[in-house]
Amino acid sequence: MSRTQQLRDAIAADLSPAAASRLSQMTAEIAADPSAAARLFPAAAREVARGPLDLDDPSGIHGPTLDDAVRGVLLAALAEAVDDDARLLREVSDLYRYGDGDEKRAVLRALDLLGPEAQPVVEDALRTNDIRIVAAAMGPWASAHLDDATWRQGVLKCLFVGVPLTAVDRLGERTDPELARMVAAYAHERLAAGRSVPDDVHLVLDQEPGALDQFPDVAAALRPSA
């Protein structure tokens, strides 16, 4: 079974018969003419379906929305229709570059179609302040491909813009002493400015408690009250 079919089957229960039929038509159009993706990808949410896949995550911070998933099917169809890696990267990058926020997020959620060459797309996403885009950028592709320094900066970006660290893929696996030091320094700066510290810094600092040795104010502020 093709990847396109697998992804389409995964959301079949979330689609009306008419929506499922339209999605099938779209994938067939892309299979026949990959350039059709530039026209169909933006229209997918309107013509097929949109909304949450997880009612506890309506904005798609922790995972894809239904429209992300629909567009992911189209991207899989594009990947199967294009047998040139350079062309596929160019086509996907253009869908991201010229897309609105929802379209950019959908591309980021489907970047496992590409390898390390997709890094410029992720780096661009991490320069935005849209929490939906930043969260998607720190998904599975980032955890698999970003170097340590860039990945750590991505985690800090999440803290700065308000993306919960629970949305960062493989946070526990990739946390190291340097990330913990950076998070502790971030918390120190917040406290010095009279601002609150997000609770989920514990997800990093609890793994590397030694990072707080340099920042006793942070240790005191984060210590549970009696």
Side-chain angles (χ1 to χ4, degrees):
M1 182 184 296
S2 71
R3 177 182 172 87
T4 300
Q5 186 63 55
Q6 289 176 334
L7 293 177
R8 197 163 60 205
D9 287 351
I11 60 171
D14 298 289
L15 300 178
S16 68
S21 176
R22 180 58 182 136
L23 181 57
S24 180
Q25 292 170 0
M26 286 180 162
T27 58
E29 287 184 57
I30 292 171
D33 177 13
S35 66
R39 169 176 52 85
L40 298 174
F41 189 78
R46 183 180 70 257
E47 296 188 12
V48 180
R50 57 161 53 95
L53 273 177
D54 181 351
L55 294 179
D56 293 327
D57 183 28
S59 298
I61 299 297
H62 289 87
T65 60
L66 180 55
D67 31 318
D68 289 340
V70 167
R71 287 186 167 117
V73 172
L74 299 186
L75 289 173
L78 177 63
E80 289 167 3
V82 173
D83 59 6
D84 180 282
D85 290 345
R87 180 185 174 187
L88 178 60
L89 175 62
R90 184 169 62 253
E91 297 275 2
V92 173
S93 297
D94 283 349
L95 291 175
Y96 172 86
R97 181 178 302 112
Y98 300 115
D100 63 17
D102 289 343
E103 292 159 39
K104 290 179 188 293
R105 188 186 64 230
V107 169
L108 292 163
R109 291 289 183 200
L111 275 187
D112 58 330
L113 294 167
L114 302 172
E117 65 273 11
Q119 181 150 337
V121 173
V122 174
E123 289 179 342
D124 180 85
L126 291 175
R127 287 192 288 269
T128 75
N129 289 318
D130 185 326
I131 64 171
R132 302 169 308 153
I133 291 175
V134 174
M138 290 301 289
W141 188 95
S143 67
H145 295 290
L146 285 185
D147 62 84
D148 288 342
T150 307
W151 184 82
R152 292 187 200 109
Q153 287 298 327
V155 175
L156 263 291
K157 181 66 180 234
C158 288
L159 287 171
F160 276 112
V161 300
V163 173
L165 294 191
T166 49
V168 177
D169 188 65
R170 291 174 53 202
L171 178 71
E173 294 177 46
R174 292 203 59 175
T175 289
D176 59 10
E178 177 59 15
L179 175 63
R181 184 200 64 76
M182 294 167 67
V183 170
Y186 158 84
H188 170 74
E189 291 173 2
R190 297 273 301 186
L191 290 171
R195 305 176 72 184
S196 62
V197 176
D199 290 340
D200 56 359
V201 297
H202 285 289
L203 296 174
V204 172
L205 298 178
D206 286 354
Q207 292 192 68
E208 300 286 347
L212 293 175
D213 291 347
Q214 302 176 55
F215 303 100
D217 59 328
V218 177
L222 298 181
R223 188 178 301 126
S225 56

